[in-house]
Amino acid sequence: MIGGNIFTTFLVPTDDGEPLKLKCSSFVIVDDSKKGIIFDTGSPYDNKTLIDELKTRFSLEPEDITYVFNTHIHPDHCGGNHLFKNAKIVMSRLDFEFSNDMAKVSLEGGAKELKKFLEKKSLYHTYTDKDCEDTVIFMKHFWSLEKLGFNNEVLFLEDKPKIPNYIVPIETFGHTFNHYSFYIKGEHNDIYVTGDAISNRLVLNNPERQLNEAHMHPREYIETAKALQNKNGIFIPGHDRPFFTENRRGVKENPFEL
């Protein structure tokens, strides 16, 4: 098997009106049958790059993808789910349900009602008015069951679904309350698709520096990051290239042998 990453670009609103361009990583595996599996599907703004890179790097068409695994339900991680019509979509039910509740409130009542909803949930890190406004914008533009892949077969991780036996879900709660990572037993290396539990290699040096997003559970996030610090192999972070945990060096080949 081979694996490799694709970067798509997500546009993050800023106070000065000039969006921040965030690179979002999708990790692709091509198995021995020449079918594909993808972990996180990147930005909804940049589906074309995902499709083009699948073809040029991995010789895959969207219909060749058999599974989509989502680490969590944020638009920069599930923005291409709908592209893969033949795939089973694997995600956390609890993460989806919380996001779906947020979407309903956002679409029906706007930012003020969203803030009330979040206050009732007693989140550990308070949303600002700007956070709520940005969330409403994202929900209006990107939230629908069709875009999340619910026209396909959806498998919820809490149900312990049948998935390829070399892929093991790991609870890595904190970035969202029900964030998952995925361990892949490769022939040459252990692979950890960490999503935003470890969004980039700098997190391993100082997890506390990442406590800047409104939905996070700080204590669980730090505990998760410290537990992952002890893993040896290759990390596939949410917003950085794959890297070796022993020396933090990036993996040069793309794709590379698993």
Side-chain angles (χ1 to χ4, degrees), residues 194-219:
T194 62
D196 283 350
I198 301 291
S199 58
N200 63 77
R201 71 194 72 192
L202 296 178
V203 173
L204 294 177
N205 299 332
N206 184 7
E208 287 84 355
R209 69 181 291 164
Q210 298 297 313
L211 298 177
N212 58 357
E213 295 190 54
H215 48 269
M216 295 178 78
H217 186 313
R219 178 178 57 79

Side-chain angles (χ1 to χ4, degrees), residues 43-81:
S43 170
Y45 296 103
D46 203 7
N47 288 165
K48 183 178 185 303
T49 295
L50 186 61
I51 292 173
D52 289 348
E53 290 285 288
L54 274 173
K55 187 171 184 64
T56 57
R57 287 193 184 276
F58 303 98
S59 301
L60 293 174
E61 301 292 343
E63 55 267 26
D64 296 324
I65 299 296
T66 56
Y67 284 90
V68 169
F69 288 86
N70 291 131
T71 59
H72 61 298
I73 312 304
H74 282 171
D76 55 326
H77 290 262
C78 54
N81 280 18

Side-chain angles (χ1 to χ4, degrees), residues 147-207:
K147 289 179 179 177
L148 286 173
F150 274 75
N151 288 351
N152 301 25
E153 181 180 0
V154 176
L155 306 177
F156 290 116
L157 289 163
E158 290 84 354
D159 297 335
K160 308 259 188 282
K162 184 178 180 181
I163 58 177
N165 58 13
Y166 56 86
I167 299 172
V168 180
I170 306 170
E171 293 179 353
T172 49
F173 301 165
H175 176 77
T176 65
F177 296 154
N178 295 281
H179 183 290
Y180 278 79
S181 297
F182 299 95
Y183 166 69
I184 303 164
K185 182 63 177 176
E187 184 177 346
H188 305 288
N189 291 284
D190 290 335
I191 312 293
Y192 296 89
V193 182
T194 62
D196 283 350
I198 301 291
S199 58
N200 63 77
R201 71 194 72 192
L202 296 178
V203 173
L204 294 177
N205 299 332
N206 184 7

